[in-house]
């Protein structure tokens, strides 16, 4: 991994740890009850007993005597704790003005920090820079004017731009797919993407012409059938009148012959 990308990843990890400590302390000092670091460590110890699965693989808390010794893993574990099995839930994020935005920001910071901490190649450093930039945007949405002042967020934005610039080396950066499943979803979305409007209009126009032609053919067939039926009817009527005339003529001739035989004529 190039030295530049390695340094960027390290700086992003450090910045995320700093932000995480700031967020946890801000929330912790606004909850009811004690606000000391010792009270926080006692809370974590109690939650580890109540929810061992959630607090599994936690950093060792032995010897922690200052907020500066806390990292993102520990801070976000506390902030994002669902507390479904807690005896005394704190709901730190739920007590804010914008709980959803706060949770989104915490998740974004944690994601960027994890990417930076596990960076192994240059692309990982670039990805961490992109995620950090997105995390600062989420941080602004959730905590602007509360946990962070505008000038502090502006400083983080400048750092994010610097990380992106150092990782890109003049080339545009792209966020890579986070998983094969996302890639498949992207392909599926591409397959279901609407066709070009011009193509759609052309298809509709062709279909319309075909429909009109079909209707014309159908109408012509119906008209032909109707004409044939009328002709047949007229022909049948003519034949009937001829037959009737012959019968009447025969009847008249029969009457004349009978009159002659009777001497009436």
């Amino acid at each position: 991994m190039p030295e530049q990308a390695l340094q960027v990843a390290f700086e992003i990890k450090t910045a995320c740890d700093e932000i995480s400590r700031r967020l946890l302390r801000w929330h912790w000092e606004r909850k009811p009850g004690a606000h000391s670091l010792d009270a926080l460590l006692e809370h974590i110890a109690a939650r580890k007993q109540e929810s061992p699965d959630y607090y599994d693989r936690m950093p060792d808390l032995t010897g922690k005597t200052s907020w500066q010794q806390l990292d993102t893993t520990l801070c976000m574990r506390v902030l994002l704790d669902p507390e479904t099995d807690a005896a005394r839930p704190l709901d730190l994020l739920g007590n804010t003005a914008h709980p959803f935005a706060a949770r989104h920001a915490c998740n974004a910071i944690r994601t960027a920090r994890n990417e930076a901490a596990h960076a192994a190649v240059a692309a990982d450093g670039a990805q961490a820079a992109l995620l950090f930039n997105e995390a600062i945007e989420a941080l602004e949405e959730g905590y602007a004017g509360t946990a962070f002042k505008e000038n502090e967020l502006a400083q983080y934005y400048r750092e994010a731009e610097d990380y992106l610039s150092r990782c890109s080396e003049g080339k545009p950066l792209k966020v890579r797919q986070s998983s094969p499943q996302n890639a498949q979803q992207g392909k599926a979305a591409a397959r279901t993407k609407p066709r070009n409007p011009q193509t759609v209009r052309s298809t509709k126009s062709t279909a319309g012409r075909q429909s009109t032609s079909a209707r014309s053919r159908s109408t012509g067939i119906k008209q032909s059938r109707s004409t044939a039926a009328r002709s047949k009817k007229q022909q049948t009527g003519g034949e009937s009148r001829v037959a009737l005339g012959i019968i009447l003529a025969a009847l008249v001739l029969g009457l004349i012959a009978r009159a002659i035989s009777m001497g009436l004529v």
Side-chain angles (χ1 to χ4, degrees), residues 7 33 40 58 84 101 131 135 153 187 207 261-262:
Q7 180 62 29
L40 172 64
M58 281 281 291
T84 54
L131 292 174
L153 291 170
K187 292 178 181 178
S261 64
M262 293 176 65

Side-chain angles (χ1 to χ4, degrees), residues 173-188:
L173 296 177
K174 296 181 180 180
V175 179
R176 64 170 180 263
Q177 293 286 351
S178 58
S179 68
Q181 182 180 2
N182 288 343
Q184 291 297 329
Q185 291 175 349
K187 292 178 181 178

Side-chain angles (χ1 to χ4, degrees), residues 133-209:
N133 184 69
E134 294 174 359
I136 299 306
E137 293 177 355
L139 192 68
E140 181 182 21
E141 293 177 1
Y143 292 98
T146 55
F148 291 90
K149 299 178 181 178
E150 295 293 339
N151 62 331
E152 293 173 325
L153 291 170
Q155 177 60 35
Y156 281 125
Y157 271 119
R158 286 191 290 271
E159 292 179 7
E161 291 174 2
D162 178 61
Y163 299 149
L164 290 169
S165 176
R166 289 158 61 188
C167 286
S168 65
E169 297 180 351
K171 299 178 182 179
L173 296 177
K174 296 181 180 180
V175 179
R176 64 170 180 263
Q177 293 286 351
S178 58
S179 68
Q181 182 180 2
N182 288 343
Q184 291 297 329
Q185 291 175 349
K187 292 178 181 178
R191 287 195 297 269
T192 58
K193 185 178 180 180
R195 292 173 293 175
N196 185 287
Q198 184 68 27
T199 303
V200 173
R201 286 195 296 270
S202 177
T203 302
K204 289 183 177 179
S205 177
T206 302
R209 289 196 298 270

Side-chain angles (χ1 to χ4, degrees), residues 57 68 80 87 110 126 132 136 179 200 210 216 223 247 265:
R57 299 181 181 179
Q68 285 299 116
L80 297 171
R110 181 178 62 176
F132 182 77
I136 299 306
S179 68
V200 173
Q210 291 174 346
S216 298
Q223 290 176 347
I247 293 172
V265 178

Side-chain angles (χ1 to χ4, degrees), residues 214-251:
R215 286 196 298 269
S216 298
R217 289 195 299 271
S218 177
T219 303
I221 292 172
K222 289 180 180 179
Q223 290 176 347
S224 298
R225 289 177 178 175
S226 178
T227 302
R230 286 196 300 270
S231 298
K232 185 176 181 180
K233 185 176 181 180
Q234 291 173 355
Q235 182 179 1
T236 303
E239 292 175 352
S240 298
R241 285 193 295 272
V242 171
L244 180 60
I246 293 173
I247 293 172
L248 290 174
L251 180 60

